Amino acid sequence: MPKLKVDGVELEVPAGATVLQACELAGKEIPRFCYHERLSIAGNCRMCLVEVKPGPPKPQASCALPASEGQEIRTDSEMVKKAREGVMEFLLINHPLDCPICDQGGECDLQDQSVAYGRGKSRYDENKRAVTEKYMGPLIKTVMTRCIHCTRCVRFSEEIAGVDEIGALYRGEGMQITTYLEGAAKHELSANVIDLCPVGALTSRPYAFEARPWELKKTLGIDVSDAVGSNIRIDSRGREVLRILPRVNDDVNEEWLSDRARYVVDGLTRRRLDKPWLRRDGKLVSATWAEAFEAVAKINPGASAAVIAGDQVDCETMFAAKALARALGSSLLEGRQTGLAYTASNMAAVAFNSTLNGIEEADAVLIVGSHVRDEAPLVNTRLRKAAKRGAKVFVIGAAWDPTYPATFLGEDAAILNDVPAEVVAAFEGAKKPAIIIGGAGLAKGALEAGLAFAERFKLVTEEWNGFNVLHMAASRMGGLMLGYAQPGGLGDLVAAKPKMVISLGADEVDYTKFAGSMIVHIGHHGDKAAHAADVILPAAAFTEKDGTYVNTEGRVQYSERAVYAPGDAREDWTILRAMADALGVVVGFDSFEQLRAAMIAEVPALGTEGLADFGALPAAPAGAKAEGLIAAYPIKDHYLTNAIARSSPTLQRCSGELLHGETFAEAAE
């Protein structure tokens, strides 16, 4: 570890660190535009200049200069001050005076650094250059005259997303950043360039001119659009959520967020259920809460009640529904809406055991029945890192573009029972081998066959667990921990012919199978379940309640309420508590705190934020075989995977334009 001095203070820095990183370890703030810790070093903005001895008597770019033994670095000398002022003056030569109307205002690196490190005036009075606007799709608004050519967006697209959609044209003063043939950016992580852009060149198109950052209340939340459990910040004004941004969590989503999670926002206020509804003479009519509960009480199902949990439900809601079902004498609980019936008695067998961060270290990966880019975009970025480090990736299932080298073995799930020689060679020589089983694989018996594969190739050691199941629903792991899994899956509920089926936002179920049951839907959007329901009780969306969520790796995380539910809608647990009174049973809680305490008492792992300990992986059952073709994956449209997304005009347009080739006329057309 080299020793050096920063502004006279001696310190040791890790081998391989840059001078910029050394300065930050010393507590010095170094301005930068092009440098980003998760991207490759470009060294083209020159804002991070420092003075280094021994070396040439001139300022040097600290981001691209390796830290070495005996260096003396000055970050506050007159030379450095003058050099930074010159760079800032140069950057502002062509930058337009757009700050009053720029959406980046208040969050702009250029604004902040021009105040802190600029001269305060410019010696240039030439005409500013202008750049024609580029079309980058329905999510990214461009004002490329503001661009300072930091190339962060280019490097993100190539290195993190693995899609070469953004690049530079021309040279010198004529250089322009654009997409290929000025087409839309189509990949599932495209909007992250908005966060990366240090100026107002790339901003959010749906959020344009909506609000200033100082107007917004910021709330910590968890994304429920997939099972990754991305950490998000929910920005709201009054009773409306205006935007969702990623929070940094290196163990989960780093600092990225999928487009689906980011732009689900405008679906939160559309197609909302904001009052109770009852089905009378085949038609839904609005009702009061008292009338709705009276209709529920008339059924008086007793033990003939079943609960189906949707994909976005928090653990507290599921536990409250479980307590209600238990009080009625029923144990019919299911969360796998599409009919999956894999064994969930051992949680270690249904978790992503390598962890999201750990999968980057895998050196051989077999993906069975999972379109990772659609099902968990931020897991795909991790696999891309592993592939860049030399990992060999194999896929059983229909072909898709993984953005990294991968060998597709075929669509027959039976390949898992007797893998080809190239897979055997890769896994026998691997130090950290891994298997990832997705939803399409689970439907073909890949769970048990995967356990046999794990035993054969020693995927589990003292230091490593390479057995992974990749779920698609934010509620899945929490539901399995709470017992929302029948041996025969949803089929057990259908066979029981319950008098009452309680839907907890379960919009993916085929309710025609419950033709003889009263369907009570507790949900927040008028989606598929609402059309089939006999009683609709309006509930809160994920931004409108506190809740506990468990992601696919078994990480327990807490989300906070950002706004209140609209109209007469109430938090889910309060609805279930009132239903208990209507049905004349006792559930054992009267407040959210009591509910959460009871849940933790029953499942202690839900009381500790962080990775839950599921114990050892079970042995593979004798004669376990996977069979059947994996010709398609569960997600047909990765923009419209849930009720909120299907209500979002932005995601509807993304689906139409980017996936289905529809054209949308602009206002002037």
Side-chain angles (χ1 to χ4, degrees):
M1 294 176 67
K3 288 184 179 178
L4 46 79
K5 286 184 178 180
V6 177
D7 292 340
V9 178
E10 189 174 67
L11 73 153
E12 257 187 335
V13 298
T18 63
V19 168
L20 186 149
Q21 291 168 328
C23 293
E24 292 197 328
L25 285 172
K28 303 294 179 180
E29 182 181 346
I30 304 296
R32 84 290 295 269
F33 292 113
C34 69
Y35 174 80
H36 191 279
E37 48 273 8
R38 300 189 197 275
L39 304 176
S40 62
I41 294 170
N44 54 13
C45 77
R46 319 309 287 179
M47 194 62 209
C48 63
L49 296 172
V50 295
E51 187 179 348
V52 182
K53 296 178 183 178
K58 64 176 185 178
Q60 299 187 63
S62 60
C63 69
L65 185 65
S68 58
E69 185 72 31
Q71 283 178 329
E72 292 186 21
I73 304 163
R74 292 291 303 276
T75 67
D76 55 0
S77 67
E78 191 59 34
M79 177 197 290
V80 171
K81 183 175 180 292
K82 189 174 180 181
R84 289 176 180 170
E85 287 178 351
V87 169
M88 180 58 69
E89 190 176 7
F90 180 73
L91 286 173
L92 293 174
I93 290 174
N94 288 314
H95 198 79
L97 300 176
D98 274 354
C99 296
I101 60 154
C102 177
D103 272 313
Q104 197 84 344
E107 297 173 320
C108 179
D109 291 351
L110 190 64
Q111 271 185 337
D112 297 341
Q113 293 183 38
S114 62
V115 170
Y117 303 102
R119 292 183 71 242
K121 59 182 178 179
S122 175
R123 293 167 290 178
Y124 295 92
D125 58 4
E126 288 82 359
N127 292 329
K128 293 178 181 288
R129 77 162 192 165
V131 180
T132 55
E133 300 314 332
K134 316 297 181 188
Y135 182 69
M136 291 192 180
L139 303 180
I140 305 170
K141 179 187 174 191
T142 65
V143 185
M144 299 313 289
T145 301
R146 302 171 185 160
C147 179
I148 62 170
H149 304 156
C150 70
T151 68
R152 280 185 179 183
C153 55
V154 177
R155 285 175 284 147
F156 172 83
S157 298
E158 291 179 355
E159 297 164 15
I160 307 298
V163 180
D164 295 335
E165 286 187 340
I166 303 179
L169 297 177
Y170 318 124
R171 302 173 70 182
E173 192 184 30
M175 179 178 171
Q176 298 181 22
I177 302 293
T178 182
T179 50
Y180 181 66
L181 296 180
E182 295 195 21
K186 294 184 178 180
H187 63 88
E188 65 281 356
L189 298 168
S190 64
N192 286 287
V193 299
I194 296 167
D195 298 335
L196 286 172
C197 185
V199 296
L202 304 177
T203 56
S204 174
R205 185 181 288 269
Y207 178 69
F209 310 124
E210 285 288 331
R212 289 299 193 187
W214 54 84
E215 298 178 74
L216 304 176
K217 184 183 81 170
K218 300 166 179 62
T219 309
L220 307 184
I222 301 297
D223 167 46
V224 296
S225 67
D226 57 32
V228 172
S230 300
N231 288 209
I232 58 174
R233 193 185 85 196
I234 304 164
D235 287 358
S236 58
R237 183 178 60 191
R239 296 192 64 166
E240 185 178 1
V241 175
L242 293 181
R243 66 175 177 177
I244 289 175
L245 297 176
R247 284 188 286 133
V248 178
N249 187 330
D250 288 337
D251 292 327
V252 183
N253 57 307
E254 299 179 282
E255 60 185 80
W256 317 126
L257 194 61
S258 69
D259 293 348
R260 176 175 62 211
R262 188 185 295 261
Y263 287 107
V264 79
V265 167
D266 54 358
L268 289 165
T269 55
R270 290 168 171 84
R271 299 185 188 172
R272 284 303 298 266
L273 299 172
D274 58 358
K275 57 185 174 182
W277 294 79
L278 289 176
R279 189 173 298 278
R280 289 177 178 153
D281 300 325
K283 293 184 178 180
L284 286 170
V285 295
S286 62
T288 64
W289 278 104
E291 290 170 338
F293 287 131
E294 184 182 344
V296 170
K298 277 181 182 177
I299 288 293
N300 192 18
S304 185
V307 181
I308 306 175
D311 290 348
Q312 298 183 310
V313 189
D314 56 292
C315 291
E316 285 83 358
T317 297
M318 288 187 283
F319 181 78
K322 180 181 180 179
L324 176 60
R326 186 161 48 199
L328 290 169
S330 172
S331 59
L332 293 173
L333 310 172
E334 185 54 72
R336 298 165 294 184
Q337 302 178 67
T338 54
L340 291 175
Y342 51 85
T343 303
S345 55
N346 187 306
M347 289 300 300
V350 293
F352 201 94
N353 295 293
S354 297
T355 72
L356 302 177
N357 195 11
I359 197 66
E360 296 178 10
E361 301 173 17
D363 46 7
V365 182
L366 175 63
I367 301 171
V368 184
S370 178
H371 188 318
V372 185
R373 281 185 71 178
D374 282 359
E375 295 167 14
L378 296 174
V379 174
N380 202 58
T381 63
R382 305 277 194 176
L383 290 171
R384 177 172 164 78
K385 286 186 190 179
K388 287 170 77 174
R389 291 172 178 168
K392 294 181 179 178
V393 182
F394 304 92
V395 183
I396 297 175
W400 50 279
D401 177 14
T403 73
Y404 43 81
T407 303
F408 285 83
L409 304 174
E411 298 180 358
D412 191 350
I415 295 170
L416 179 59
N417 306 327
D418 187 16
V419 292
E422 59 179 322
V423 179
V424 174
F427 273 76
E428 286 183 343
K431 292 181 179 177
K432 291 187 174 181
I435 184 172
I436 297 174
I437 302 171
L442 292 171
K444 304 299 181 183
L447 184 64
E448 290 76 13
L451 289 169
F453 180 89
E455 289 179 1
R456 177 183 174 187
F457 293 104
K458 297 179 175 60
L459 266 59
V460 182
T461 64
E462 288 185 8
E463 298 83 22
W464 174 254
N465 187 336
F467 186 84
N468 302 300
V469 172
L470 182 60
H471 297 291
M472 292 172 284
S475 65
R476 182 71 73 247
M477 284 297 286
L480 295 177
M481 291 169 75
L482 288 166
Y484 275 74
Q486 298 294 313
L490 200 64
D492 284 5
L493 271 63
V494 175
K497 297 182 179 179
K499 288 183 182 178
M500 178 187 292
V501 175
I502 301 173
S503 159
L504 304 178
D507 286 299
E508 314 305 324
V509 176
D510 179 5
Y511 286 102
T512 58
K513 295 177 180 178
F514 296 99
S517 307
M518 177 193 225
I519 298 169
V520 180
H521 178 56
I522 302 173
H524 40 76
H525 277 75
D527 204 68
K528 301 173 185 176
H531 290 287
D534 299 300
V535 180
I536 297 176
L537 305 176
F542 73 101
T543 55
E544 298 156 4
K545 57 186 175 182
D546 293 331
T548 303
Y549 296 92
V550 186
N551 75 352
T552 191
E553 60 181 348
R555 186 178 300 276
V556 179
Q557 303 183 108
Y558 302 131
S559 182
E560 299 174 7
R561 179 176 60 205
V563 295
Y564 288 93
D568 287 335
R570 297 292 181 265
E571 291 184 39
D572 309 54
W573 76 268
T574 64
I575 298 172
L576 290 159
R577 175 65 184 82
M579 275 184 68
D581 284 346
L583 293 167
V585 294
V586 177
V587 289
F589 56 84
D590 295 311
S591 67
F592 184 78
E593 290 71 24
Q594 291 176 357
L595 166 62
R596 181 171 272 179
M599 178 184 75
I600 293 169
E602 185 167 314
V603 186
L606 294 175
T608 305
E609 199 165 12
L611 280 174
D613 183 6
F614 296 134
L617 202 66
K625 298 288 183 184
E627 55 186 3
L629 290 181
I630 305 174
Y633 299 103
I635 293 179
K636 302 294 185 289
D637 186 324
H638 68 258
Y639 287 112
L640 307 178
T641 58
N642 57 69
I644 308 176
R646 288 189 285 267
S647 303
S648 163
T650 300
L651 293 181
Q652 287 173 12
R653 174 164 178 170
C654 286
S655 172
E657 181 177 339
L658 305 182
L659 294 185
H660 304 296
E662 296 177 21
T663 56
F664 290 80
E666 297 297 332
E669 298 175 322

